[in-house]
Coordinates of all heavy atoms in Angstrom, one line a residue:
M8 N -39.9 84.3 74.8 CA -40.0 84.3 73.4 C -41.5 84.4 72.9 O -42.3 83.8 73.5 CB -39.3 83.1 72.8 CG -38.5 83.3 71.5 SD -37.5 81.9 71.0 CE -38.8 81.0 70.2
R9 N -41.7 85.2 71.9 CA -43.0 85.4 71.3 C -43.4 84.0 70.6 O -42.6 83.5 69.9 CB -43.0 86.5 70.3 CG -44.2 87.3 70.4 CD -43.9 88.7 69.6 NE -43.7 88.4 68.3 CZ -44.5 88.8 67.3 NH1 -45.7 89.3 67.7 NH2 -44.4 88.5 66.0
P10 N -44.6 83.5 70.9 CA -45.0 82.3 70.2 C -45.2 82.6 68.7 O -45.5 83.7 68.3 CB -46.4 82.0 70.9 CG -46.8 83.2 71.5 CD -45.6 84.1 71.8
R11 N -44.9 81.5 68.0 CA -45.0 81.7 66.5 C -46.4 81.8 66.2 O -47.3 81.2 66.8 CB -44.4 80.4 65.9 CG -43.4 80.7 64.8 CD -42.9 79.5 64.1 NE -43.4 79.4 62.8 CZ -44.1 78.3 62.3 NH1 -44.4 77.3 63.1 NH2 -44.5 78.3 61.1
H12 N -46.7 82.7 65.2 CA -48.1 82.8 64.8 C -48.6 81.6 64.1 O -47.9 81.1 63.2 CB -48.1 84.0 63.8 CG -49.5 84.2 63.3 ND1 -50.6 84.7 64.0 CD2 -50.0 84.0 62.0 CE1 -51.7 84.7 63.3 NE2 -51.4 84.3 62.1
I13 N -49.7 81.1 64.6 CA -50.3 79.9 63.9 C -51.5 80.4 63.2 O -52.5 80.9 63.7 CB -50.7 78.8 65.0 CG1 -49.4 78.4 65.7 CG2 -51.4 77.6 64.3 CD1 -49.7 77.6 67.0
P14 N -51.5 80.1 61.9 CA -52.7 80.5 61.1 C -53.9 79.7 61.5 O -53.8 78.4 61.5 CB -52.3 80.3 59.6 CG -51.0 79.6 59.6 CD -50.5 79.5 61.0
I15 N -55.0 80.3 61.7 CA -56.2 79.6 62.0 C -57.3 79.9 61.0 O -57.3 80.9 60.4 CB -56.7 79.8 63.4 CG1 -56.9 81.3 63.7 CG2 -55.8 79.2 64.4 CD1 -57.7 81.6 64.9
R16 N -58.2 78.9 60.8 CA -59.3 79.0 59.9 C -60.6 78.6 60.5 O -60.6 77.7 61.4 CB -59.0 78.2 58.6 CG -57.8 78.7 57.8 CD -58.1 80.0 57.1 NE -57.0 80.5 56.3 CZ -56.0 81.3 56.7 NH1 -55.9 81.6 58.0 NH2 -55.0 81.6 55.9
T17 N -61.7 79.0 60.0 CA -63.0 78.6 60.4 C -63.5 77.6 59.5 O -63.5 77.7 58.3 CB -63.9 79.9 60.4 OG1 -63.4 80.9 61.2 CG2 -65.3 79.5 61.0
C18 N -64.0 76.4 60.1 CA -64.6 75.4 59.3 C -65.9 75.9 58.7 O -66.7 76.5 59.4 CB -64.9 74.2 60.3 SG -65.8 72.9 59.5
A19 N -66.1 75.6 57.4 CA -67.3 76.0 56.7 C -68.5 75.2 57.1 O -69.6 75.4 56.8 CB -67.1 75.9 55.2
G20 N -68.2 74.0 57.8 CA -69.3 73.2 58.3 C -69.8 73.5 59.7 O -70.8 74.2 59.9
C21 N -68.9 73.2 60.7 CA -69.3 73.4 62.1 C -68.9 74.8 62.6 O -69.3 75.1 63.7 CB -68.7 72.3 62.9 SG -66.9 72.4 63.1
R22 N -68.2 75.6 61.9 CA -67.8 76.9 62.2 C -66.8 77.0 63.4 O -66.6 78.0 64.0 CB -69.0 77.8 62.6 CG -70.2 77.8 61.7 CD -70.0 78.0 60.3 NE -69.3 79.3 60.0 CZ -69.0 79.7 58.8 NH1 -69.3 79.1 57.8 NH2 -68.4 80.9 58.6
E23 N -66.2 75.8 63.7 CA -65.2 75.8 64.7 C -63.9 76.4 64.1 O -63.6 76.3 62.9 CB -64.9 74.4 65.2 CG -65.6 74.1 66.5 CD -65.3 72.7 66.9 OE1 -64.2 72.2 66.9 OE2 -66.3 72.0 67.1
V24 N -63.1 77.0 65.0 CA -61.8 77.6 64.5 C -60.7 76.6 64.9 O -60.7 76.1 66.0 CB -61.7 78.9 65.2 CG1 -60.3 79.5 64.9 CG2 -62.7 79.9 64.8
R25 N -59.8 76.3 64.0 CA -58.7 75.4 64.2 C -57.5 75.9 63.5 O -57.6 76.6 62.5 CB -59.1 74.0 63.6 CG -60.1 73.2 64.2 CD -60.5 72.1 63.2 NE -61.4 71.2 63.7 CZ -61.1 70.0 64.4 NH1 -59.8 69.7 64.5 NH2 -62.1 69.3 64.8
P26 N -56.3 75.3 63.9 CA -55.2 75.6 63.1 C -55.3 75.1 61.7 O -55.8 74.0 61.4 CB -54.0 74.8 63.8 CG -54.6 74.6 65.2 CD -56.1 74.5 65.0
K27 N -54.9 76.0 60.8 CA -55.0 75.7 59.4 C -54.5 74.3 58.9 O -55.1 73.7 58.1 CB -54.3 76.8 58.6 CG -54.5 76.9 57.2 CD -53.7 78.1 56.6 CE -53.1 77.8 55.2 NZ -52.2 78.9 54.8
R28 N -53.3 74.0 59.6 CA -52.7 72.7 59.1 C -53.6 71.5 59.5 O -53.3 70.3 59.0 CB -51.3 72.6 59.5 CG -51.1 72.6 61.1 CD -49.7 72.7 61.4 NE -49.6 72.9 62.9 CZ -49.7 72.0 63.8 NH1 -49.9 70.8 63.5 NH2 -49.6 72.4 65.1
E29 N -54.5 71.6 60.4 CA -55.4 70.5 60.8 C -56.6 70.4 59.9 O -57.4 69.6 60.1 CB -55.8 70.7 62.3 CG -54.7 70.4 63.3 CD -55.1 70.7 64.7 OE1 -56.4 70.7 64.9 OE2 -54.3 70.8 65.6
M30 N -56.7 71.3 59.0 CA -57.9 71.4 58.2 C -57.7 71.0 56.8 O -56.6 70.9 56.3 CB -58.5 72.8 58.3 CG -58.7 73.2 59.7 SD -59.6 74.7 59.9 CE -61.3 74.1 59.6
V31 N -58.8 70.8 56.1 CA -58.7 70.4 54.7 C -59.2 71.6 53.9 O -60.2 72.2 54.2 CB -59.6 69.2 54.4 CG1 -59.6 68.8 52.9 CG2 -59.2 68.0 55.3
R32 N -58.5 71.9 52.9 CA -58.8 73.1 52.0 C -59.6 72.5 50.8 O -59.3 71.5 50.2 CB -57.5 73.8 51.5 CG -57.8 75.0 50.7 CD -56.5 75.8 50.5 NE -56.8 76.9 49.8 CZ -56.4 77.1 48.5 NH1 -55.6 76.2 47.9 NH2 -56.7 78.2 47.9
V33 N -60.7 73.2 50.6 CA -61.5 72.9 49.4 C -61.4 74.1 48.5 O -61.6 75.3 49.0 CB -63.0 72.6 49.8 CG1 -63.8 72.3 48.5 CG2 -63.1 71.4 50.8
V34 N -61.1 73.9 47.3 CA -60.8 75.0 46.4 C -61.6 75.0 45.1 O -62.0 73.9 44.6 CB -59.3 75.1 46.2 CG1 -58.8 73.9 45.3 CG2 -58.8 76.4 45.6
R35 N -61.9 76.1 44.6 CA -62.5 76.2 43.3 C -61.4 76.9 42.4 O -60.9 77.9 42.7 CB -63.7 77.2 43.3 CG -64.5 77.2 42.0 CD -65.4 78.4 41.9 NE -64.5 79.6 41.7 CZ -65.1 80.9 41.7 NH1 -66.3 81.1 41.9 NH2 -64.3 81.9 41.5
D36 N -61.1 76.1 41.4 CA -60.0 76.7 40.5 C -60.6 77.6 39.5 O -61.8 77.8 39.4 CB -59.1 75.5 39.9 CG -59.9 74.7 38.8 OD1 -61.0 75.2 38.4 OD2 -59.4 73.7 38.5
F37 N -59.7 78.1 38.6 CA -60.2 79.1 37.7 C -61.2 78.6 36.6 O -61.9 79.4 36.0 CB -59.0 79.8 37.0 CG -58.1 80.5 38.0 CD1 -56.8 80.1 38.2 CD2 -58.6 81.6 38.7 CE1 -56.0 80.7 39.2 CE2 -57.9 82.2 39.7 CZ -56.6 81.8 39.9
S38 N -61.2 77.3 36.4 CA -62.1 76.7 35.5 C -63.6 76.5 36.1 O -64.4 76.0 35.5 CB -61.6 75.4 34.9 OG -61.5 74.5 35.8
G39 N -63.6 76.7 37.4 CA -64.9 76.5 38.1 C -65.0 75.1 38.7 O -66.1 74.8 39.1
T40 N -63.9 74.4 38.7 CA -64.0 73.0 39.2 C -63.7 73.1 40.7 O -62.8 73.8 41.2 CB -63.0 72.2 38.5 OG1 -63.1 72.2 37.1 CG2 -63.0 70.7 39.0
V41 N -64.5 72.3 41.5 CA -64.3 72.2 42.9 C -63.4 71.0 43.2 O -63.7 69.9 42.7 CB -65.6 72.2 43.7 CG1 -65.4 72.0 45.2 CG2 -66.4 73.4 43.4
A42 N -62.4 71.2 44.0 CA -61.5 70.1 44.3 C -61.1 70.1 45.7 O -61.1 71.2 46.4 CB -60.2 70.2 43.4
I43 N -60.8 69.0 46.3 CA -60.3 68.9 47.7 C -58.8 69.0 47.5 O -58.1 68.2 46.9 CB -60.7 67.6 48.3 CG1 -62.2 67.7 48.5 CG2 -60.0 67.4 49.7 CD1 -62.8 66.3 48.8
D44 N -58.2 70.1 48.1 CA -56.8 70.4 47.9 C -56.0 69.9 49.1 O -55.8 70.5 50.1 CB -56.7 72.0 47.8 CG -55.3 72.4 47.6 OD1 -54.4 71.6 47.3 OD2 -55.1 73.6 47.8
Q45 N -55.4 68.7 48.8 CA -54.6 68.1 49.9 C -53.2 68.7 50.0 O -52.5 68.6 51.0 CB -54.6 66.6 49.8 CG -55.9 66.0 50.2 CD -55.9 64.6 50.1 OE1 -56.1 64.0 49.0 NE2 -55.8 63.8 51.2
T46 N -52.8 69.4 49.0 CA -51.4 70.0 49.0 C -51.5 71.4 49.6 O -50.5 72.0 50.0 CB -50.8 70.1 47.6 OG1 -51.6 71.0 46.8 CG2 -50.8 68.7 47.0
G47 N -52.7 72.1 49.5 CA -52.8 73.4 50.0 C -52.3 74.4 49.0 O -52.1 75.6 49.3
K48 N -52.0 73.9 47.8 CA -51.3 74.8 46.8 C -52.0 75.1 45.6 O -51.5 75.8 44.7 CB -49.9 74.2 46.5 CG -48.9 74.3 47.6 CD -47.7 73.5 47.4 CE -46.8 73.6 48.6 NZ -46.0 72.4 48.8
I49 N -53.3 74.6 45.4 CA -54.0 74.9 44.2 C -54.4 76.3 44.3 O -54.9 76.8 45.3 CB -55.3 73.9 44.2 CG1 -54.8 72.5 44.1 CG2 -56.1 74.3 42.9 CD1 -56.0 71.5 44.1
N50 N -54.2 77.0 43.2 CA -54.7 78.4 43.1 C -56.2 78.4 42.9 O -56.8 77.6 42.2 CB -54.0 79.1 41.9 CG -52.6 79.5 42.2 OD1 -52.2 79.9 43.3 ND2 -51.7 79.2 41.2
G51 N -56.7 79.5 43.5 CA -58.2 79.6 43.3 C -58.8 80.1 44.7 O -58.1 80.4 45.6
R52 N -60.1 80.1 44.7 CA -60.8 80.5 45.9 C -61.0 79.3 46.8 O -61.6 78.3 46.4 CB -62.1 81.1 45.5 CG -62.8 81.8 46.5 CD -64.2 82.4 46.1 NE -64.8 82.9 47.3 CZ -64.6 84.1 47.8 NH1 -63.9 85.0 47.1 NH2 -65.2 84.5 48.9
G53 N -60.5 79.4 48.0 CA -60.6 78.2 48.9 C -61.4 78.5 50.2 O -61.6 79.6 50.5
T54 N -61.7 77.4 50.8 CA -62.3 77.5 52.1 C -61.9 76.2 52.9 O -61.3 75.3 52.3 CB -63.9 77.5 52.0 OG1 -64.4 77.9 53.3 CG2 -64.5 76.3 51.5
Y55 N -62.1 76.2 54.2 CA -61.5 75.2 55.0 C -62.5 74.4 55.7 O -63.6 75.0 56.1 CB -60.5 75.8 56.0 CG -59.2 76.3 55.3 CD1 -59.2 77.6 54.7 CD2 -58.1 75.5 55.2 CE1 -58.1 78.0 54.0 CE2 -57.0 75.9 54.5 CZ -57.0 77.2 53.9 OH -55.9 77.6 53.3
L56 N -62.3 73.2 56.0 CA -63.2 72.3 56.7 C -62.4 71.4 57.6 O -61.2 71.1 57.3 CB -63.9 71.4 55.7 CG -65.1 72.0 54.8 CD1 -65.3 71.1 53.7 CD2 -66.3 72.2 55.7
C57 N -63.0 71.0 58.7 CA -62.4 69.9 59.5 C -62.4 68.6 58.7 O -63.3 68.5 57.9 CB -63.2 69.6 60.8 SG -63.7 71.0 61.7
P58 N -61.4 67.8 58.9 CA -61.5 66.5 58.0 C -62.4 65.5 58.6 O -62.1 64.4 59.0 CB -60.0 66.0 58.2 CG -59.5 66.6 59.5 CD -60.3 67.9 59.7
K59 N -63.7 65.9 58.6 CA -64.8 65.1 59.2 C -65.9 65.1 58.2 O -66.3 66.1 57.7 CB -65.3 65.6 60.5 CG -64.4 65.6 61.6 CD -65.2 66.0 62.9 CE -64.5 67.0 63.7 NZ -65.3 67.6 64.6
T60 N -66.5 63.9 58.0 CA -67.6 63.8 57.0 C -68.8 64.7 57.5 O -69.5 65.3 56.6 CB -68.1 62.3 56.9 OG1 -66.9 61.6 56.5 CG2 -69.2 62.2 55.9
E61 N -69.0 64.8 58.8 CA -70.2 65.6 59.2 C -70.0 67.1 58.9 O -70.9 67.8 58.5 CB -70.5 65.4 60.7 CG -69.4 65.9 61.6 CD -69.0 64.7 62.6 OE1 -68.7 63.7 62.1 OE2 -69.0 65.0 63.8
C62 N -68.7 67.6 58.9 CA -68.5 69.0 58.5 C -68.7 69.2 57.0 O -69.3 70.2 56.6 CB -67.1 69.4 59.0 SG -66.9 69.5 60.7
W63 N -68.3 68.2 56.2 CA -68.4 68.3 54.8 C -69.9 68.3 54.5 O -70.4 69.1 53.7 CB -67.7 67.0 54.2 CG -68.1 66.7 52.8 CD1 -68.8 65.7 52.3 CD2 -67.6 67.5 51.7 NE1 -68.8 65.7 50.9 CE2 -68.1 66.9 50.5 CE3 -66.9 68.6 51.5 CZ2 -67.9 67.3 49.3 CZ3 -66.7 69.2 50.2 CH2 -67.2 68.5 49.1
E64 N -70.7 67.4 55.1 CA -72.1 67.4 54.8 C -72.8 68.6 55.3 O -73.8 69.1 54.6 CB -72.8 66.1 55.4 CG -72.4 65.0 54.5 CD -72.9 63.6 55.0 OE1 -73.4 63.5 56.1 OE2 -72.7 62.6 54.3
Q65 N -72.5 69.1 56.5 CA -73.1 70.3 57.0 C -72.8 71.5 56.1 O -73.7 72.3 55.8 CB -72.5 70.6 58.4 CG -73.4 71.4 59.2 CD -72.9 71.6 60.6 OE1 -72.0 70.8 61.1 NE2 -73.3 72.6 61.3
A66 N -71.6 71.6 55.6 CA -71.2 72.7 54.7 C -72.0 72.6 53.4 O -72.4 73.7 52.8 CB -69.7 72.7 54.4
L67 N -72.3 71.4 52.9 CA -73.0 71.3 51.7 C -74.5 71.6 51.9 O -75.2 72.3 51.2 CB -72.9 69.9 51.1 CG -71.5 69.5 50.4 CD1 -71.4 68.0 50.3 CD2 -71.4 70.3 49.1
Q68 N -75.0 71.0 53.0 CA -76.4 71.2 53.3 C -76.8 72.6 53.6 O -77.9 73.1 53.2 CB -76.8 70.3 54.5 CG -77.3 68.9 54.0 CD -77.2 67.9 55.1 OE1 -77.3 68.2 56.3 NE2 -77.1 66.6 54.7
T69 N -76.0 73.3 54.4 CA -76.3 74.7 54.7 C -76.1 75.7 53.5 O -76.4 76.8 53.6 CB -75.6 75.1 56.0 OG1 -74.2 75.1 55.7 CG2 -75.9 74.3 57.1
G70 N -75.3 75.2 52.6 CA -74.9 76.0 51.5 C -73.7 76.9 51.7 O -73.4 77.7 50.9
S71 N -73.1 76.6 52.9 CA -72.0 77.5 53.2 C -70.8 77.3 52.4 O -70.0 78.2 52.1 CB -71.7 77.5 54.7 OG -70.9 76.3 55.0
L72 N -70.6 76.0 51.9 CA -69.5 75.8 51.0 C -69.7 76.5 49.7 O -68.8 77.1 49.2 CB -69.4 74.2 50.8 CG -68.1 73.8 50.1 CD1 -66.9 73.9 50.9 CD2 -68.3 72.4 49.6
A73 N -70.9 76.4 49.2 CA -71.2 77.0 47.9 C -71.0 78.5 48.0 O -70.5 79.2 47.1 CB -72.7 76.7 47.5
R74 N -71.5 79.1 49.2 CA -71.3 80.5 49.4 C -69.9 80.9 49.5 O -69.5 81.9 48.9 CB -72.1 80.9 50.7 CG -73.4 81.6 50.5 CD -73.8 82.4 51.7 NE -73.7 81.6 52.9 CZ -74.6 80.7 53.3 NH1 -75.6 80.3 52.6 NH2 -74.3 80.1 54.5
A75 N -69.1 80.1 50.2 CA -67.7 80.5 50.4 C -66.9 80.4 49.1 O -66.0 81.2 48.9 CB -67.1 79.5 51.4
L76 N -67.3 79.5 48.2 CA -66.6 79.3 46.9 C -67.3 80.1 45.8 O -66.8 80.2 44.7 CB -66.5 77.9 46.6 CG -65.8 77.0 47.6 CD1 -65.8 75.5 47.1 CD2 -64.4 77.4 47.8
K77 N -68.4 80.7 46.1 CA -69.2 81.5 45.2 C -69.5 80.6 44.0 O -69.3 81.0 42.8 CB -68.5 82.8 44.8 CG -68.3 83.7 45.9 CD -68.2 85.2 45.4 CE -67.7 86.1 46.5 NZ -68.6 86.2 47.7
I78 N -70.0 79.5 44.2 CA -70.4 78.5 43.1 C -71.5 77.6 43.6 O -71.7 77.4 44.8 CB -69.1 77.7 42.8 CG1 -69.2 77.0 41.4 CG2 -68.8 76.6 43.9 CD1 -67.9 76.4 41.0
S79 N -72.3 77.1 42.7 CA -73.2 76.0 43.1 C -72.6 74.7 42.6 O -72.1 74.6 41.5 CB -74.6 76.3 42.5 OG -74.5 76.3 41.1
I80 N -72.7 73.7 43.5 CA -72.0 72.5 43.2 C -73.1 71.5 42.5 O -74.1 71.2 43.0 CB -71.5 71.8 44.4 CG1 -70.4 72.7 45.0 CG2 -70.9 70.4 44.2 CD1 -69.9 72.4 46.4
A81 N -72.8 71.2 41.2 CA -73.6 70.4 40.4 C -73.7 69.0 41.1 O -72.7 68.5 41.6 CB -73.1 70.3 39.1
P82 N -74.9 68.3 41.0 CA -75.0 67.0 41.6 C -73.9 66.0 41.0 O -73.5 65.1 41.8 CB -76.4 66.5 41.2 CG -77.2 67.8 40.9 CD -76.2 68.8 40.5
A83 N -73.6 66.1 39.8 CA -72.6 65.2 39.2 C -71.2 65.4 39.8 O -70.5 64.5 40.1 CB -72.5 65.5 37.7
D84 N -70.9 66.7 40.1 CA -69.6 67.0 40.8 C -69.7 66.5 42.2 O -68.7 66.1 42.8 CB -69.3 68.5 40.8 CG -69.1 69.1 39.3 OD1 -68.8 68.2 38.5 OD2 -69.2 70.3 39.2
R85 N -70.8 66.7 42.8 CA -71.0 66.4 44.2 C -70.7 64.9 44.5 O -70.0 64.6 45.4 CB -72.5 66.7 44.5 CG -73.0 66.2 45.8 CD -72.7 67.0 47.0 NE -72.7 66.3 48.2 CZ -73.7 66.1 49.1 NH1 -74.8 66.8 48.9 NH2 -73.6 65.4 50.1
A86 N -71.0 64.0 43.6 CA -70.8 62.6 43.7 C -69.3 62.3 43.8 O -68.8 61.6 44.7 CB -71.5 61.8 42.6
G87 N -68.5 62.9 42.9 CA -67.1 62.7 42.9 C -66.4 63.3 44.1 O -65.5 62.7 44.7
L88 N -67.0 64.5 44.5 CA -66.4 65.1 45.7 C -66.7 64.3 47.0 O -65.9 64.2 47.9 CB -67.0 66.5 45.9 CG -66.4 67.5 44.9 CD1 -67.3 68.8 44.9 CD2 -65.0 67.9 45.2
D89 N -67.9 63.7 47.0 CA -68.3 62.9 48.2 C -67.3 61.7 48.3 O -66.9 61.3 49.4 CB -69.7 62.3 48.0 CG -70.8 63.3 48.5 OD1 -70.4 64.3 49.3 OD2 -71.9 63.1 48.2
R90 N -67.0 61.1 47.1 CA -66.0 60.0 47.1 C -64.7 60.4 47.6 O -64.1 59.7 48.4 CB -66.0 59.3 45.8 CG -67.0 58.2 45.5 CD -66.6 57.4 44.3 NE -66.5 58.2 43.1 CZ -67.5 58.5 42.4 NH1 -68.7 58.2 42.7 NH2 -67.3 59.2 41.3
A91 N -64.2 61.5 47.1 CA -62.9 62.0 47.5 C -62.9 62.3 49.0 O -61.9 62.0 49.6 CB -62.6 63.3 46.7
W92 N -64.0 62.9 49.4 CA -64.0 63.3 50.9 C -64.0 62.0 51.7 O -63.4 62.0 52.8 CB -65.2 64.1 51.1 CG -65.2 64.6 52.5 CD1 -65.7 64.1 53.7 CD2 -64.5 65.8 53.0 NE1 -65.4 64.9 54.7 CE2 -64.6 65.9 54.3 CE3 -63.8 66.8 52.3 CZ2 -64.1 67.0 55.1 CZ3 -63.2 67.8 53.0 CH2 -63.4 67.9 54.4
E93 N -64.8 61.0 51.3 CA -64.8 59.7 52.1 C -63.4 59.1 52.2 O -63.0 58.7 53.3 CB -65.7 58.7 51.4 CG -67.1 58.7 51.9 CD -68.0 57.9 51.1 OE1 -67.6 56.8 50.6 OE2 -69.1 58.4 50.8
Q94 N -62.6 59.1 51.1 CA -61.3 58.6 51.2 C -60.4 59.4 52.1 O -59.7 58.8 53.0 CB -60.7 58.7 49.8 CG -61.1 57.5 49.0 CD -60.6 57.6 47.5 OE1 -59.9 58.6 47.2 NE2 -61.0 56.7 46.7
L95 N -60.6 60.7 52.1 CA -59.8 61.6 52.9 C -60.1 61.4 54.4 O -59.3 61.3 55.2 CB -60.0 63.0 52.4 CG -59.4 64.1 53.2 CD1 -58.9 65.1 52.2 CD2 -60.3 64.7 54.2
A96 N -61.5 61.4 54.7 CA -62.0 61.3 56.0 C -61.6 60.0 56.6 O -61.3 59.9 57.8 CB -63.5 61.5 56.1
S97 N -61.5 58.9 55.9 CA -61.1 57.6 56.4 C -59.7 57.5 56.6 O -59.2 56.5 57.3 CB -61.6 56.5 55.4 OG -60.9 56.6 54.2
T98 N -58.8 58.4 56.2 CA -57.4 58.3 56.4 C -57.0 59.2 57.6 O -55.8 59.1 58.0 CB -56.6 58.7 55.2 OG1 -56.9 60.1 54.8 CG2 -56.8 57.9 53.9
V99 N -57.9 59.9 58.2 CA -57.5 60.8 59.3 C -58.1 60.2 60.6 O -58.9 59.4 60.6 CB -57.9 62.3 59.1 CG1 -57.0 62.9 58.1 CG2 -59.3 62.4 58.8
Ligands
ZN111 ZN1 -65.9 71.4 61.2

């Protein structure tokens, strides 16, 4: 039998490739708000990260998250996202 196709994505932080369902989607919605999409269903431009704080920080520091989402993340938004990410990373 042919193996089922598993969607894979590249982490915007460490650039590792993993199955999509093991990753966290970060999305920019139509209003330009960046959100961590735990349902995978938010419409907008998204990118994927491993559920690890180091990948999150790497993606922010290298600017690859901003590039992938075609947005610059304001420091005020960054604080809220950091908190949301910490909660998420501590549950995995
Ligand atoms: Zn990663």
Side-chain angles (χ1 to χ4, degrees):
M8 220 171 81
R9 222 161 66 103
R11 231 183 109 233
H12 177 71
I13 298 168
I15 55 165
R16 292 293 180 270
T17 306
C18 172
C21 66
R22 316 305 306 182
E23 259 177 55
V24 175
R25 291 167 176 266
K27 190 177 146 189
R28 63 188 168 79
E29 288 177 16
M30 303 188 78
V31 180
R32 184 169 181 251
V33 180
V34 69
R35 186 198 72 183
D36 71 12
F37 297 116
S38 66
T40 306
V41 177
I43 293 162
D44 178 14
Q45 284 178 282
T46 65
K48 286 172 184 149
I49 300 176
N50 283 319
R52 191 184 174 86
T54 190
Y55 289 84
L56 286 163
C57 314
K59 290 189 230 163
T60 302
E61 64 233 55
C62 292
W63 169 247
E64 283 178 353
Q65 205 177 339
L67 285 166
Q68 269 161 25
T69 60
S71 82
L72 188 73
R74 257 198 314 281
L76 300 179
K77 299 204 188 306
I78 198 171
S79 60
I80 297 168
D84 293 342
R85 165 85 206 261
L88 286 166
D89 275 347
R90 270 197 302 279
W92 190 268
E93 265 168 41
Q94 275 172 5
L95 178 138
S97 65
T98 60
V99 290

